Amino acid sequence: MKILGIETSCDETGAAVVDGIDGRLNLLSNVVSSSADLHRQYGGVVPEIAARSHIEAINPVILKAMTDANCSWKDITAIAVTKGPGLGGSLLVGVLTARTLAILHDKPLYGINHVLAHAYAAFITGSSNDYELAGHPSEFPLLALIVSGGHTLLAHFKDHFDYILLGSTTDDAVGEAYDKTAKILGLPYPGGPSVEKLAKKGNPEKYSLPKAKTKNKYDFSYSGLKTAVLRLAQAEIGEDYDFPSYKLSERLSDLQKADIAACFNRTAIEALVDKTRRAFEEYAPRSVIVSGGVSASPELRKQMKTALPIQPIFPDPGLCTDNGAMIAAAGYFASRSKTGRADPKELDIMPGLSL
Ligand code: KG4
Ligand code: ZN
């Protein structure tokens, strides 16, 4: 059963074909075209530029995904598309394209929750020419930590699409905190990889940054840490809180930047690992999935492996950031459990969709 997945929620245009056979998924193709380079000069995603880039990329990306998978339309059983959450203009491009293709080729259509789909990257366990896949399927009940530029959450799944949300961020997402810290340190967008690279050169014990306390023990909070990084950088150059953040990187030395990156990285990761370990102890899941853009972080992977008594499942880093394969994988399980089938004439975007 071959599923075409389409992703356009933020700045990546993604399309992929997965082939599901008895619950195992082979990844036949995965094509991602990113507009990140166009956003870099602005230090974050510009929605209008992202939407325009999706319009330009969507047809060639889908065609390449079909060609790479050696597929024609008659081979495709269903189409899955991200319906939300995300940027409205970006989502519209993917959803309208998927609706048109579903009508034109008479295929069932599935509207997929992007955040949920991040966990489904871990369910692609068959074969792939380009990615290292998990050796065995995740087992229920399972715990999923989803950490991305827009989301930070912990959920407990009894089965496919049957979950409770244990906690989520009360303010900023962890990826957002990486991106803001990168800006303060004068590092390029997206901030995660660049902060982590610089962190390797610094002393993670040099400063003590605050650990957020949340009312719900499984919630996260990253805005305090983000502000603490700003105040620390200002204090390090002997300025006070009204010194503009965009001028900080000129005044900080390379060593100060590396030490701040290292301390931020340690504190940001500690909260994720602590809460996942606590939830593991309370819920005793059979599998733990850690996914989303921030889970590409080697340091997070290392610390999570040490903290948990079972091996957590991390999708290949190339499948952690936004892509069509995770949407196709979620679409496969949605079609098997008859969840989320949409009318191609009516499927609407849901920019504020939550888990
Ligand atoms: O999942 P994703 O591609 O997009 C969203 O759905 O938001 O996540 C993007 C986020 C960005 O904030 C980026 O800085 C972060 O993932 N990221 C990382 C790493 N690679 C990407 N954060 C930490 N370490 C990394 N290696
Ligand atoms: Zn994402």
Side-chain angles (χ1 to χ4, degrees):
M1 181 179 186
K2 294 189 174 82
I3 312 280
L4 170 70
I6 298 173
E7 155 63 31
T8 64
S9 67
C10 190
D11 57 346
E12 260 102 29
T13 316
V17 179
V18 300
D19 187 13
I21 304 161
D22 298 333
R24 266 182 101 78
L25 288 175
N26 298 323
L27 183 53
L28 303 188
S29 65
N30 187 43
V31 181
V32 180
S33 165
S34 176
S35 59
D37 284 347
L38 302 179
H39 305 293
R40 199 154 282 140
Q41 60 177 307
Y42 306 102
V45 176
V46 181
E48 289 78 5
I49 295 177
R52 186 177 288 264
S53 303
H54 287 305
I55 291 171
E56 288 168 2
I58 190 102
N59 275 332
V61 165
I62 293 173
L63 273 178
K64 183 159 173 28
M66 295 286 285
T67 310
D68 288 0
N70 222 352
C71 269
S72 65
W73 285 105
K74 69 173 173 13
D75 303 317
I76 298 291
T77 307
I79 299 173
V81 64
T82 302
K83 64 179 177 186
L87 302 170
S90 291
L91 290 166
L92 261 180
V93 179
V95 166
L96 289 177
T97 305
R99 283 172 52 177
T100 309
L101 291 172
I103 293 168
L104 199 63
H105 300 289
D106 194 21
K107 305 290 177 190
L109 178 66
Y110 291 86
I112 301 295
N113 180 321
H114 173 92
V115 185
L116 184 67
H118 268 297
Y120 275 89
F123 280 89
I124 308 172
T125 56
S127 66
S128 162
N129 289 334
D130 304 308
Y131 300 94
E132 198 178 313
L133 302 177
H136 56 86
S138 303
E139 292 177 81
F140 295 100
L142 67 82
L143 198 61
L145 173 72
I146 296 169
V147 279
S148 73
H151 303 275
T152 308
L153 57 89
L154 201 49
H156 182 248
F157 284 73
K158 273 202 278 181
D159 204 342
H160 289 292
F161 308 103
D162 179 5
Y163 55 82
I164 52 163
L165 182 62
L166 301 181
S168 60
T169 182
T170 56
D171 41 57
D172 296 343
V174 59
E176 226 173 314
Y178 271 94
D179 296 338
K180 283 276 158 55
T181 299
K183 240 179 174 175
I184 291 170
L185 300 179
L187 302 171
Y189 169 85
S194 44
V195 168
E196 190 158 52
K197 199 166 150 213
L198 184 61
K200 286 205 190 90
K201 297 183 185 152
N203 171 6
E205 307 295 333
K206 175 82 183 278
Y207 314 105
S208 149
L209 290 167
K211 269 192 171 182
K213 291 206 171 60
T214 53
K215 254 197 216 154
N216 167 4
K217 63 184 170 181
Y218 296 126
D219 275 348
F220 301 89
S221 163
Y222 280 98
S223 79
L225 178 58
K226 192 180 76 184
T227 309
V229 167
L230 175 64
R231 298 285 175 257
L232 171 61
Q234 288 165 330
E236 277 297 296
I237 58 161
E239 297 283 354
D240 63 15
Y241 66 90
D242 55 7
F243 188 82
S245 61
Y246 66 91
K247 285 190 176 163
L248 283 166
S249 74
E250 298 163 13
R251 299 264 304 268
L252 289 163
S253 70
D254 287 349
L255 185 62
Q256 283 171 321
K257 287 182 190 172
D259 287 341
I260 294 173
C263 294
F264 165 81
N265 197 41
R266 171 174 68 82
T267 314
I269 289 175
E270 264 172 18
L272 301 174
V273 173
D274 273 4
K275 300 205 175 193
T276 308
R277 185 182 46 220
R278 276 212 253 167
F280 183 90
E281 284 160 8
E282 184 172 344
Y283 291 91
R286 295 178 72 173
S287 299
V288 177
I289 292 173
V290 183
S291 190
V294 179
S295 74
S297 153
E299 185 59 27
L300 173 62
R301 289 173 178 232
K302 194 174 96 193
Q303 290 199 26
M304 199 65 88
K305 280 182 194 159
T306 314
L308 296 176
I310 63 170
Q311 276 295 312
I313 298 168
F314 296 97
D316 183 287
L319 298 176
C320 285
T321 45
D322 293 348
N323 63 81
M326 66 188 202
I327 306 302
Y332 170 74
F333 289 102
S335 74
R336 280 191 19 141
S337 37
K338 304 198 177 2
T339 311
R341 174 110 185 235
D343 181 340
K345 294 205 174 95
E346 288 191 352
L347 178 65
D348 206 353
I349 58 165
M350 301 176 84
L353 183 66
S354 55
L355 194 64

